[in-house]
Amino acid sequence: GRKLNLIPVPGGGGADRVRTRRASEEDGKPPWPGLVDGQRSPFSGTRMGGAKRSGNSSPLGSGGDEVVIFFIHGSMGHMQQFEHQILYCVSKGWTVVAFDAYGCGESPKPYDWDAYSHEEQFADLKAVYSMYKGRRNFLVGHSYGTSMALQLCAAMGGDGCMSGLMLIGPGFGPSHYPSRSVKIFRNPVILLQLLAPLLRRGFVQRALHSETLERKTVEHQRLVERIAAKQGSNAMHICKSFYTQMEWVNPETIQQVEADVIVVVGEGDKMLPPDNAACLADLLRKQRPQRETDLYVLSNSSHQVMQELPIEVNKLLDAFVLRTLKSRKV
C-alpha cells in the first residue's frame, strides 16, 4: 500500500502536545510535522508516514470519535498550511486528521507518472477518510483541496456521517479554476526546471495579499519566506504529472453533496478570485436548497487566507462546526 505522511490527533489531546514551528525556532528542536526523515511525531503515540491505503487497524476512526476534522491541502501544497487551524481544533478537543498527499510535503515522491493521477490521489483520500472517520465528520479543503473535498462528500456522503465542509479559496470545473496557469505544465520537465524560480516567485505574488508581501510584521516576513521555500522544494516531474492529470469537481458532482457548506475566500485572491467562490456558493444554494451554504469574503487576504488571517478563519470554523452539530442530527 502507498504510505502518506499523516498525523491523526485524538480528540482531547490538548494543544500543549502540538509542537509549532515557532516553538521549534525558539528552543532549537525539530518543528512539526515530519520535517526530518523518521522524526518522532509531535503528537504522543503517533509516528509519521503511518497511513497505508491497504489499511492497517487504526486507534482512531471506526465511528468512535464524536467529531473528526479532516484537512485537505491544495495542489502541490502540504498540511502545514493548516497549522493554525490544526492547533485550534486540537485545543477544542476535536479529533484532527491531516496528511501530505502523495508527492507533496514529506510524503514519498517516486518517479512514477501514474502515481500522481487523480484516481490514485482520490483513492488515497477515500482510504484516509474511511480509516479515521468518526460519528460526525467535517472536511476543511483549500484550493484544489476544496474540489477533492466536494468529490469525497459526494462519493461518501451516503455513510450518514458527513456533517459539513469548509471550502477555502475554492474552484470548480469546467471553467472556474486557473486553467491557463495549469497549461504551462504541459512543457517538458527540463524546461519547467529552468522556469522553476519564476514559477515560485509568481506563486508567492499571487497567493499572498499585498500587505503580507510588504512584510511589515515578523509574522508576515516568516509567512512569505516559508511559502517561497516550500514552493521551491516541489519537484517539476511531480508538478507536471499532477497538474496534467488533475480533475476539478463539476456541477453534476456538486449536486450530490449532502452536507452544510461554508465558503471562505480572500478578497485579494488572484489564484481563484472571489467571483469563483461566489459562483460556487450560488450553485450550491441552487442545487441543494435544503442545505445551508454561507459565503465569507475576508479583507486584507489572498489565496492563503487561512495563513494570513488564522484567527478569523478559526472563528468561522468554530462557529460553523458548533452550529452544524446543534442543527444537524447525524
Side-chain angles (χ1 to χ4, degrees):
R2 291 176 17 143
K3 283 191 174 183
L4 301 176
N5 186 39
L6 180 146
I7 49 170
V9 188
D16 58 320
R17 295 168 68 180
V18 181
R19 289 195 50 76
T20 65
R21 180 178 295 273
R22 173 177 289 182
S24 301
E25 292 172 347
E26 291 173 351
D27 63 21
K29 295 180 181 179
W32 77 280
L35 294 183
V36 179
D37 186 36
Q39 168 188 334
R40 187 70 178 174
S41 167
F43 305 110
S44 178
T46 304
R47 186 168 292 279
M48 310 309 296
K52 295 183 180 181
R53 191 192 300 172
S54 54
N56 291 336
S57 59
S58 169
L60 303 177
S62 303
D65 297 272
E66 179 65 23
V67 177
V68 182
I69 314 292
F70 292 85
F71 290 92
I72 309 170
H73 65 72
S75 59
M76 299 310 301
H78 52 92
M79 61 178 163
Q80 287 186 28
Q81 294 171 326
F82 292 116
E83 178 177 8
H84 296 285
Q85 288 69 50
I86 291 173
L87 288 169
Y88 185 78
C89 289
V90 172
S91 74
K92 297 287 292 185
W94 299 329
T95 293
V96 169
V97 177
F99 67 98
D100 292 329
Y102 212 61
C104 301
E106 300 304 312
S107 286
K109 301 174 177 63
Y111 280 84
D112 182 350
W113 178 271
D114 294 332
Y116 310 109
S117 68
H118 172 77
E119 291 76 13
E120 291 293 313
Q121 298 282 10
F122 191 57
D124 289 340
L125 178 58
K126 288 195 294 184
V128 170
Y129 175 76
S130 297
M131 183 180 295
Y132 293 104
K133 69 178 181 179
R135 291 187 61 245
R136 302 186 179 195
N137 303 283
F138 292 81
L139 309 180
V140 180
H142 173 243
S143 192
Y144 185 62
T146 65
S147 180
M148 298 289 277
L150 287 164
Q151 293 177 68
L152 179 65
C153 187
M156 310 292 285
D159 65 2
C161 300
M162 196 76 75
S163 297
L165 281 68
M166 184 181 209
L167 308 177
I168 305 173
F172 63 99
S175 58
H176 292 77
Y177 71 98
S179 56
R180 285 183 293 180
S181 300
V182 170
K183 288 180 180 178
I184 194 171
F185 291 98
R186 296 175 182 175
N187 287 294
V189 172
I190 189 170
L191 177 58
L192 293 175
Q193 291 171 337
L194 294 174
L195 294 174
L198 293 176
L199 295 174
R200 179 174 66 251
R201 286 196 293 270
F203 176 85
V204 173
Q205 292 296 318
R206 298 173 66 193
L208 297 174
H209 193 269
S210 57
E211 290 195 6
T212 305
L213 293 170
E214 290 177 4
R215 310 187 191 193
K216 294 180 179 179
T217 68
V218 174
E219 288 298 329
H220 284 170
Q221 182 176 348
R222 285 176 171 172
L223 180 56
V224 173
E225 292 173 353
R226 287 173 62 182
I227 289 180
K230 276 294 183 181
Q231 285 301 117
S233 66
N234 286 334
M236 286 299 109
H237 73 278
I238 300 176
C239 291
K240 178 179 175 65
S241 176
F242 184 92
Y243 283 115
T244 54
Q245 299 183 84
M246 68 193 314
E247 296 180 14
W248 287 83
V249 67
N250 56 49
E252 292 75 22
T253 300
I254 293 173
Q255 189 173 7
Q256 303 171 36
V257 172
E258 287 296 329
D260 292 341
V261 177
I262 179 175
V263 180
V264 180
V265 64
E267 53 87 14
D269 195 331
K270 301 181 185 67
M271 301 286 291
L272 289 164
D275 286 348
N276 285 5
C279 288
L280 176 60
D282 288 342
L283 182 63
L284 285 163
R285 294 186 186 113
K286 179 181 179 181
Q287 293 190 341
R288 323 159 319 117
Q290 76 282 7
R291 288 287 186 171
E292 292 186 10
T293 302
D294 295 325
L295 171 64
Y296 295 89
V297 181
L298 303 186
S299 59
N300 300 320
S301 60
S302 185
H303 194 55
Q304 303 301 119
V305 57
M306 72 284 190
Q307 293 179 282
E308 294 181 297
L309 299 177
I311 295 176
E312 290 82 350
V313 173
N314 290 348
K315 287 180 178 178
L316 290 174
L317 177 58
D318 184 31
F320 175 58
V321 171
L322 295 179
R323 182 175 71 248
T324 304
L325 292 177
K326 184 177 180 180
S327 62
R328 300 289 181 183
K329 301 299 182 181
V330 180

